[in-house]
Amino acid sequence: MSRSAHPAGPRYADVLPEGHYTAPPADLNALDPKVWPLTTARSGAGSVSIGGLGLAELAEEFGTALFVLDEDDFRTRCRAWRDAFGPDADVFYAGKAFLSRAVVRWLTEEGLNLDVCSGGELSIALAGGMPPERIALHGNNKSSAELRQAIEAGVGRIVLDSFQEIVRVAHIADTLGRRQPVQIRVTVGVEAHTHEFIATAHEDQKFGLALAGGQAAEAVRRVLKLDSLELVGIHSHIGSQIFDTSGFEVAAHRVVGLLADIRDEHGLELPEIDLGGGLGIAYTPEDDPSEPHTIAKSLREIVSRECRGAELAVPRLSVEPGRAIVGPSACTVYEVGTVKELPGLRTYVSVDGGMSDNVRTALYDAEYSVSLVSRASDAEPMLSRVVGKHCESGDIVVRDAFLPADVAPGDLLAVPATGAYCRSMANNYNHALRPPVVAVRDGAARVIIRRETEEDLLRLDVG
Ligand SMILES: *Cc1c(COP(=O)(O)O)cnc(C)c1O
């Protein structure tokens, strides 16, 4: 099933994407636990609540569009990943999926570490109280200022991504009188998306140093010559929204191969390997992700087997789930503004948000599901396209969805599984005001990111 290209572009609006459900779900009022946050419930009267709070009441209090983040769901997933990998491994939450100080506090309390990839993310991580030694800094073009900020703070690792960066990090660490722990990001020639992976000799992409052709081995040589760098491991990240571990298997085989080469050349066994993130979640009820313990068991077995084959001690393993932790923890609540029927085609349902709060549909043809949440309905299913309010025909929130035929202006819709890469990719197109994130737990709501205001816009526009 391809997620990046299918025939159901706007010009072929009557064609459902390949692999997409073509029939309405049996019960439009049902909320599939695979895609909804843990504490989601529909009351007897038909309205939906999360964390013990009605989405309609939350919308009333905080306005729409609104991200509702289920703290119990988030913490439960953190714990599941942590417990699945156990004390001999580290789970780094990928902050780019969604980061705020409240989230950093939850991560710290739940025993997770944190990946950041910019000075901004690093500032939030530190302000939220994550101990610096539990922070890793990634990125293919970190600035000298970002590197200095990280080294000064004392981050636990910097993942080196280029030959230039090796020299830069060494120089800054040297100036500051530090010895900085580093990993080297390698590209293993595996590209994984969803259900398929492609193993190639070369990867045509901007991240990391290639194993093929010896760039990674050369990076190791250069790092080992520099006293201000402490090489602790090798890092690999192969893709996103991955549903099985076969891509990781090839990656682990190649990374362990490099560890064996390093031992043979330098007489040194590196203590860590990081297999990155990219574990998939259910965006629609059709998706079927594995549980963390299944993934952990499989990754540990793969690494142990490869190390046995290479006669290496098993290094400490790290993983970096972002989406798999925060993705399913949140939903976006929108109010319906207009309903436009195109006879014989579908009905366009416009909501008060769109590509400014969820750009993934426009960017990657991502699929989502959507439900009416302010009431239950026993109206017939209606093939719908939920669209935003931006001046762009690609401003689609959910390309193909079945909603009750009586959906009307003023109804609230919610799109589940929007915790990752939605608020963090939010933008001000059309001078939209980015929505707030409200955390809910045990009947209490707390704004963790407030709604943007026109004053915020005007503050940046200096006239
Ligand atoms: C994006 C990214 C992740 C997280 O990816 P998810 O799909 O959110 O799990 C982890 N590690 C690195 C290096 C990344 O770039």
Side-chain angles (χ1 to χ4, degrees):
M1 180 162 71
S2 163
R3 268 164 207 266
S4 55
H6 61 64
R11 276 177 297 146
Y12 305 98
D14 53 340
V15 184
L16 285 167
E18 189 192 337
H20 197 281
Y21 57 82
T22 47
D27 177 4
L28 282 179
N29 296 312
L31 300 166
D32 192 320
K34 268 205 294 196
V35 295
W36 288 90
L38 191 63
T39 65
T40 307
R42 197 183 276 276
S43 74
S47 64
V48 174
S49 67
I50 299 181
L53 294 166
L55 296 180
E57 286 71 34
L58 291 169
E60 181 70 34
E61 184 173 353
F62 301 106
T64 49
L66 171 68
F67 288 101
V68 176
L69 174 58
D70 182 346
E71 182 178 344
D72 277 337
D73 183 291
F74 185 94
R75 286 181 183 269
T76 302
R77 280 176 215 279
C78 287
R79 239 167 279 153
W81 282 94
R82 186 82 221 88
D83 294 348
F85 279 89
D88 301 330
D90 295 303
V91 180
F92 283 79
Y93 171 77
K96 70 180 199 250
F98 174 68
L99 199 64
S100 77
R101 285 187 289 173
V103 160
V104 175
R105 206 151 48 237
W106 304 343
L107 292 166
T108 310
E109 288 167 7
E110 299 300 341
L112 268 65
N113 295 358
L114 176 57
D115 265 352
V116 297
C117 63
S118 70
E121 288 182 4
L122 178 57
S123 295
I124 299 287
L126 293 170
M130 178 61 71
E133 64 276 11
R134 283 163 61 185
I135 300 175
L137 176 65
H138 284 272
N140 69 302
N141 186 20
K142 313 167 195 76
S143 70
S144 293
E146 288 170 322
L147 292 170
R148 171 176 281 271
Q149 180 192 1
I151 296 167
E152 253 169 355
V155 301
R157 54 163 93 143
I158 293 178
V159 183
L160 299 171
D161 202 283
S162 66
F163 289 129
Q164 289 87 4
E165 195 172 76
I166 294 172
V167 183
R168 261 175 226 157
V169 173
H171 175 70
I172 297 167
D174 199 36
T175 314
L176 295 171
R178 299 287 179 86
R179 186 150 196 261
Q180 176 61 47
V182 295
Q183 293 188 337
I184 296 173
R185 170 138 176 195
V186 302
T187 42
V188 293
V190 171
E191 210 185 302
H193 298 287
T194 313
H195 298 285
E196 325 137 47
F197 79 92
I198 310 163
T200 57
H202 293 279
E203 265 184 296
D204 188 1
Q205 51 121 324
K206 70 176 185 174
F207 293 106
L209 290 144
L211 271 180
Q215 285 199 335
E218 176 57 19
V220 170
R221 268 173 227 128
R222 294 189 191 187
V223 169
L224 289 177
K225 282 196 189 116
L226 295 162
D227 290 337
S228 58
L229 302 182
E230 180 193 0
L231 182 60
V232 294
I234 299 297
H235 181 285
S236 145
H237 172 75
I238 57 172
S240 61
Q241 188 62 358
I242 304 166
F243 280 115
D244 70 40
T245 52
S246 49
F248 290 102
E249 189 151 1
V250 178
H253 174 74
R254 293 182 179 173
V255 168
V256 171
L258 176 64
L259 293 183
D261 291 347
I262 294 170
R263 175 202 51 204
D264 297 344
E265 184 176 341
H266 305 282
L268 176 73
E269 288 197 22
L270 297 184
E272 296 177 3
I273 78 173
D274 187 322
L275 290 178
L279 289 317
I281 62 164
Y283 282 106
T284 74
E286 282 70 38
D287 295 325
D288 209 4
S290 305
E291 294 295 323
H293 65 88
T294 312
I295 295 163
K297 184 163 174 285
S298 168
L299 291 187
R300 272 204 311 262
E301 277 171 11
I302 291 167
V303 171
S304 306
R305 192 176 59 234
E306 292 298 331
C307 289
R308 231 177 3 258
E311 293 177 20
L312 282 166
V314 178
R316 190 174 176 86
L317 177 65
S318 330
V319 287
E320 304 174 330
R323 178 195 321 264
I325 292 176
V326 73
S329 301
C331 70
T332 315
V333 183
Y334 300 103
E335 185 177 311
V336 174
T338 64
V339 177
K340 200 177 281 180
E341 192 193 335
L342 303 191
L345 276 178
R346 71 182 67 246
T347 299
Y348 278 78
V349 178
S350 297
V351 296
D352 50 357
M355 63 193 297
S356 54
D357 56 74
N358 185 353
V359 75
R360 294 187 67 259
T361 305
L363 199 57
Y364 318 120
D365 277 343
E367 286 182 45
Y368 285 91
S369 68
V370 57
S371 294
L372 175 61
V373 292
S374 44
R375 60 186 174 91
S377 166
D378 39 26
E380 288 301 300
M382 164 178 84
L383 182 60
S384 313
R385 177 160 291 171
V386 178
V387 296
K389 60 180 292 172
H390 296 284
C391 299
E392 187 83 44
S393 52
D395 173 30
I396 294 168
V397 181
V398 185
R399 186 176 299 276
D400 299 293
F402 287 95
L403 285 169
D406 63 354
V407 74
D411 278 334
L412 297 179
L413 302 183
V415 175
T418 57
Y421 306 107
C422 288
R423 185 57 182 77
S424 71
M425 287 186 162
N427 61 77
N428 290 114
Y429 181 47
N430 296 142
H431 281 338
L433 304 171
R434 288 178 293 175
V437 181
V438 171
V440 293
R441 187 186 205 189
D442 292 338
R446 189 158 58 93
V447 177
I448 62 171
I449 295 189
R450 71 160 169 81
R451 184 180 298 282
E452 219 163 20
T453 62
E454 285 177 8
E455 277 123 65
D456 291 327
L457 296 182
L458 287 166
R459 201 169 301 143
L460 295 179
D461 181 336
V462 294

